[in-house]
Amino acid sequence: MSVLVYAEHDNANLKAATLNVVAAAQKIGGEITILVAGAGCGAVAQQAAKVAGIAKVLVADNAAYAHQLAENVSALVAEVGKGYKHILAAATTTGKNFLPRTAALLDVQMISEISGVVNATTFQRPIYAGNAIATVESTQAINVLTVRGTAFDPAAAEGGSAAIENLSVAKDAGLSSFVGEEIAKNDRPELTAAKIVISGGRGMQNGDNFSLLYKVADKLGAAVGASRAAVDAGFVPNDMQVGQTGKIVAPELYVAVGISGAIQHLAGMKDSKVIVAINKDEEAPIFQVADYGLVADLFQAVPELEKLI
Amino acid sequence: MKVLVAVKRVVDANVKVRVAANNSGVDLTNVKMAMNPFCEIAVEEAVRLKEKGVATEIIVVAVGPKEAQEQIRTALALGADRGILVEAADAQPLAIAKILKAIVDQEKPGLVIMGKQTIDGDNNQTGQMLAALTGMGQGTFASAVNVADGKVKVTREIDGGLQTVELGLPALVTTDLRLNEPRYASLPNIMKAKKKPLDIKTPADFGVDVTPRVKTLKVEAPAARKAGIKVKTVEELVAKLKNEAKVIQ
């Protein structure tokens, strides 16, 4: 039994999502190896080696992996992963991009976004926007899985001292090149890791009004999200979208402001511990999942909330 | 340049599905079916490429039950030129990718466009797998696609923001929500679509085994949330969050 975990990182820091994947790997059982693929990613390898319960860290440090291009990374993981029973990555846009490609290279039917490990060959995963949970079994020689981070409590980031081994495998498929990126910068916590998330929907009316939410978020140390409607309307960028096809969050507290609660939005937040809905339409479906519902005009309620917390 | 678009017949996005009483799956009896929303965006993008003169022919493929002819006809009404239905209900992504690979080998499209995921299985795999099997570069979760000089630039929606990659053609693109807003089919185009060619095939025609590799043991409804309460004021809300839920201080 051996599990290969693909590290999510930005060449400088190991992303917290990796710790949730390690937790899923621990439930599967067996020796866990973390693979760090990047360029100038030595610091990430050091951090990965400290994660509790890790046997070994493999590092593929090459320009071909600098931007996590799927064509290159998938070939690397397919080659390295051949010797393992399980290959796991986070169900982030990085993992979702390259891991199905790896699975096809290995002729494996992948299992996406597992939310539970029953045993080493049986897993649970949400289907139909989380309106059903499937229990699936795979007896393939290798199981290739992405992991829904919110479903697994993170493994400890410290306490381990795994050996680091360098790989000299350079896989440049020559099929794609990186042109550029626009990464949103803000000082608030990451949506998927925040303890409190406050999200706005179409009811916010425009992007400027999101400042009302930012003020509350900054007082609470919260992240700010949005519904698809708010992103489609151009109020806020895509990286803020919470839902079936956006980010999946499960914070201690989720505050939905001016969000009606379409099935697709609920799919992204209904595992939150406490849900608050503020909406002037008392028939809005969001109230069906809210622990605390407030039927009110958000333009009065949100500034009042900011004063009272 | 030929453009190949893959579409899937799925439950309509507005339907709230129920788990079947025997836990074998979800109950789709008398439920409205439609083209997967991401596939609609893929068809629209192909049609726009044809309108720009980049694409010369649009071939739409579905792997699904015989009723999926309806979704192919919809794509033909939106502007695709001909359709191929491969009759195989409940094929898994790897098998679908293998069938599509065989069709790519026959048709030799310059670009393959498909949805990033279907809203039934939520797998988000088939495009990437097809790219692997055909050796194409992949631009997944696309919010902008620009074809020029034998290359395609794809802007991708990623967790941190946007990333742009350049791929040599032939290449594969999977669509995200904001790539375009699909049009509606006009009545004359719906009538015309009925006369467009539609080939019916089976997986065996392409030598693909669609036996499931992953077995579904059971399907259950998710744990229901306890009914909540309505609060009357913001003050009451804050008091509940501090003293009852204890999620803020």
Side-chain angles (χ1 to χ4, degrees), chain A residues 250-271:
Chain A
E252 300 277 302
L253 172 62
Y254 187 89
V255 185
V257 180
I259 291 177
S260 64
I263 301 167
Q264 292 79 9
H265 185 74
L266 302 185
M269 46 63 80
K270 70 181 168 154
D271 291 329

Side-chain angles (χ1 to χ4, degrees), chain A residues 93 182-185 238-239 247, chain B residues 158-162:
Chain A
T93 50
E182 292 168 46
I183 298 297
K185 284 201 172 63
N238 66 281
D239 55 87
K247 293 203 170 93
Chain B
I158 59 170
D159 287 336
L162 297 171

Side-chain angles (χ1 to χ4, degrees), chain A residues 71 96-97 101 107 109 112 128 133 135 137 177 179-180 182 241 244 247 270 272 291-293, chain B residues 94 98 120 123 125 128 136 138 140 159 162 164 166 178 213 215 217-218 220 225 231 244:
Chain A
E71 298 79 1
K96 288 173 178 175
N97 187 35
R101 193 169 176 119
D107 194 32
Q109 176 53 59
S112 294
Y128 289 92
I133 307 295
T135 302
E137 183 186 44
S177 56
V179 177
E182 292 168 46
Q241 187 184 327
Q244 181 184 16
K247 293 203 170 93
K270 70 181 168 154
S272 304
D291 298 284
Y292 302 107
Chain B
L94 182 63
K98 287 178 180 178
D120 49 2
N123 282 308
Q125 296 178 7
Q128 294 89 315
M136 290 185 194
Q138 66 187 54
T140 53
D159 287 336
L162 297 171
T164 303
E166 188 173 73
R178 283 157 287 272
R213 298 273 190 95
K215 193 171 149 196
L217 301 180
K218 63 180 170 185
E220 298 161 298
R225 287 191 76 91
V231 292
E244 196 174 87

Side-chain angles (χ1 to χ4, degrees), chain A:
Chain A
M1 291 289 290
S2 55
V3 184
L4 183 67
V5 168
Y6 188 81
E8 177 104 7
H9 64 89
D10 58 6
N11 291 318
N13 291 299
L14 185 71
K15 295 269 179 74
T18 312
L19 300 175
N20 304 100
V21 181
V22 169
Q26 285 167 342
K27 286 202 170 172
I28 290 169
E31 195 178 275
I32 301 169
T33 300
I34 295 184
L35 170 61
V36 178
C41 57
V44 179
Q46 297 291 337
Q47 293 161 39
K50 287 192 190 126
V51 175
I54 301 303
K56 191 160 62 172
V57 174
L58 299 175
V59 188
D61 197 330
N62 190 285
Y65 313 127
H67 301 288
Q68 304 292 321
L69 291 174
E71 298 79 1
N72 303 346
V73 169
S74 62
L76 169 74
V77 178
E79 183 164 318
V80 175
K82 271 180 203 157
Y84 294 82
K85 295 288 284 179
H86 295 80
I87 305 174
L88 276 64
T92 55
T93 50
T94 305
K96 288 173 178 175
N97 187 35
F98 85 85
L99 202 61
R101 193 169 176 119
T102 297
L105 293 174
L106 293 170
D107 194 32
V108 169
Q109 176 53 59
M110 178 177 136
I111 301 173
S112 294
E113 204 141 359
I114 59 163
S115 58
V117 173
V118 178
N119 58 47
T121 55
T122 310
F123 310 95
Q124 289 175 310
R125 62 177 301 265
I127 55 174
Y128 289 92
N131 286 305
I133 307 295
T135 302
V136 299
E137 183 186 44
S138 161
T139 48
Q140 300 174 100
I142 305 177
N143 274 317
V144 179
L145 315 161
T146 52
V147 176
R148 174 171 286 201
T150 55
F152 298 89
D153 290 332
E158 301 279 340
S161 58
I164 298 176
E165 191 179 308
N166 287 302
L167 298 175
S168 55
V169 195
K171 296 271 184 192
D172 189 347
L175 293 169
S176 56
S177 56
F178 172 82
V179 177
E181 62 189 3
E182 292 168 46
I183 298 297
K185 284 201 172 63
N186 67 53
D187 300 330
R188 294 184 191 91
E190 241 184 280
L191 255 179
T192 51
K195 286 208 161 62
I196 301 177
V197 173
I198 177 162
S199 289
R202 200 194 302 272
M204 297 305 295
Q205 294 179 4
N206 59 49
D208 291 342
N209 288 336
F210 267 74
S211 63
L212 298 171
L213 305 187
Y214 292 131
K215 285 180 195 161
V216 176
D218 290 343
K219 270 189 135 169
L220 291 172
V224 178
S227 69
R228 177 190 168 182
V231 180
D232 280 1
F235 299 172
V236 290
N238 66 281
D239 55 87
M240 289 171 65
Q241 187 184 327
V242 172
Q244 181 184 16
T245 65
K247 293 203 170 93
I248 308 292
V249 302
E252 300 277 302
L253 172 62
Y254 187 89
V255 185
V257 180
I259 291 177
S260 64
I263 301 167
Q264 292 79 9
H265 185 74
L266 302 185
M269 46 63 80
K270 70 181 168 154
D271 291 329
S272 304
K273 198 166 152 208
V274 175
I275 297 175
V276 169
I278 301 175
N279 201 303
K280 66 180 176 190
D281 173 14
E282 63 178 316
E283 301 295 319
I286 190 77
F287 287 120
Q288 290 165 18
V289 299
D291 298 284
Y292 302 107
L294 176 64
V295 180
D297 180 355
L298 72 93
F299 294 103
Q300 284 168 5
V302 176
E304 206 182 325
L305 178 65
E306 187 207 335
K307 273 189 215 123
L308 289 173
I309 52 177

